[in-house]
Amino acid sequence: MRRGVVLLGAALSVLHGCSCDGSVTNAPGAGAVCAQEMPPEGCGQPCGEGLAACATGMYCAADGTCTADCVPGGSATCGTGYRCTSFGRCVEDPDLGRDSGGRDPNVCADVRLEATRVTPRVILIIDQSGSMTEDFGAGTRWEVLRDSLLADDGLIRALEDQVEFGLALYSAISGPDDLPEDPDMCPLITWVDPALDNYDAIATVYGPADPIEETPTGDAIWSVLERIGSVPDPDLDPTIFVLATDGEPDRCEQLNPQNGQAEAVAAVEDSHAAGIRTYVISVGRDISESHLQDVANAGLGHGSGDPDAPFWVAGDDVGLRDALRDIVGGVLSCRVDLDGTIDTDMACSGTVELNGRAIPCDDPNGWRVVDEDTIELQGDSCDELQSGVGATLEARFPCDVVLI
């Protein structure tokens, strides 16, 4: 199940409300919900970055506590020239003609839009060749890579609620004449289907596994590509291959010598054509940089005349952890899909709040409109959304901005 965030409708300029200590700083005559003799549950609760969102009908005030000026449709209403939003805020709207309860009968009801943050699918394609037993930092290449992914502070545990991780361990066993021992078993793939919260499933398979023998990289990538079948739009829910290998590739047609470079690049090109980006990490320094560059360029669809794509060469355990986090952190998405559509030309008249705090529109550290049913957080706001467990995102738009 993908993690969802809820977006709500209709907001204008915001005034401060009661502070839950009995003082009222909103418009004259507005209902002071928090100043009532028996304020509702949740009034005065700490809120803001890293804390739980305020209860329904309340908002996070500037002093870092949950509060409400008014109750939409209830007895505590705003005065003339103000209206009550679904977050319990009195907002100025002097042109409204109001009924006796302070409500505008001609204003459309609040619009609730369900929204889902885009979730990347990351397939870890792991070289299971015999050379992975070589020393590497605090252990062997195999052990350090596995621990970087499976340790309690490793990549999968840290990001399993934001990334659909899958696993493909690959190798082959050679027989006479440098051919596979069993042609039907080349490549050997140990597979875990991608999913959110997938640490336990991956650890059960990856934890006890050991290196085998050969490195049929191109065949393995084609096998994974066939396995996952159709893929989503890479600009929305991206599917990513992270290839971690320590040696030059070979081929199932001839496992030795290692002449599988062209085949590996071709498999990565086919993956890109299917909408999948591939990033490559060399675990150690035994792979030629020219081959790594060819794989990296194919992985991002860079051709002749394009700038070279990045690749990673990890010389120790710290370098390997940094490489993995750089790659996967770079594909965590801050795009949010709406289940309705908005007028993109007027969208900035709305308000987006992250963890109870308004963030600016068309700002490098705020949010922007991608299209009529997608918004994207940027810069510091994106970092906060990605790193905050249980982060809340709320957006409100004037009624004439919401089209459907």
Side-chain angles (χ1 to χ4, degrees), residues 121-124 156 163-169 189-203 205 223-224 226-229:
R121 179 179 297 116
V122 174
I123 312 298
L124 302 164
I156 298 176
V163 176
E164 293 182 0
F165 281 111
L167 178 71
L169 307 177
I189 301 285
T190 304
W191 175 261
V192 179
D193 287 321
L196 285 172
D197 301 316
N198 214 22
Y199 175 87
D200 290 342
I202 291 175
V205 170
S223 179
V224 172
E226 181 179 3
R227 174 88 184 216
I228 64 174

Side-chain angles (χ1 to χ4, degrees), residues 24 90 114 124 215 240 254 274 322-323 331 362 379 382:
V24 181
C90 288
E114 295 294 331
L124 302 164
T215 316
I240 307 297
Q254 184 182 29
D322 289 345
V331 300
D362 282 344
C382 177

Side-chain angles (χ1 to χ4, degrees), residues 8 19-20 29 67 80 100 105 109 112 126 151 158 170 172 180 194 205 213 217 277 303 311 355 362 375 381 394:
L8 303 175
S19 61
C20 295
T67 188
T80 302
S100 59
R112 179 179 291 271
I126 307 297
Y170 76 95
V205 170
E213 189 174 344
T217 301
R277 286 170 282 165
F311 62 84
N355 295 323
D362 282 344
I375 63 173
S381 295
E394 297 173 346

Side-chain angles (χ1 to χ4, degrees), residues 130-221:
S131 58
M132 291 288 280
T133 59
E134 297 287 335
D135 290 340
F136 188 80
T140 66
R141 294 169 177 174
W142 180 259
E143 291 167 343
V144 170
L145 175 59
R146 181 182 59 196
D147 291 347
S148 297
L149 293 167
L150 295 184
D152 286 342
D153 62 346
L155 185 75
I156 298 176
R157 179 77 82 184
L159 298 176
E160 64 171 335
D161 64 337
Q162 301 176 58
V163 176
E164 293 182 0
F165 281 111
L167 178 71
L169 307 177
Y170 76 95
S171 188
I173 299 174
S174 62
D177 301 321
D178 294 320
L179 297 174
E181 183 179 66
D182 181 352
D184 293 332
M185 297 295 290
C186 186
L188 286 170
I189 301 285
T190 304
W191 175 261
V192 179
D193 287 321
L196 285 172
D197 301 316
N198 214 22
Y199 175 87
D200 290 342
I202 291 175
T204 298
V205 170
Y206 195 2
D210 291 313
I212 300 176
E213 189 174 344
E214 301 294 344
T215 316
T217 301
D219 295 286
I221 293 171

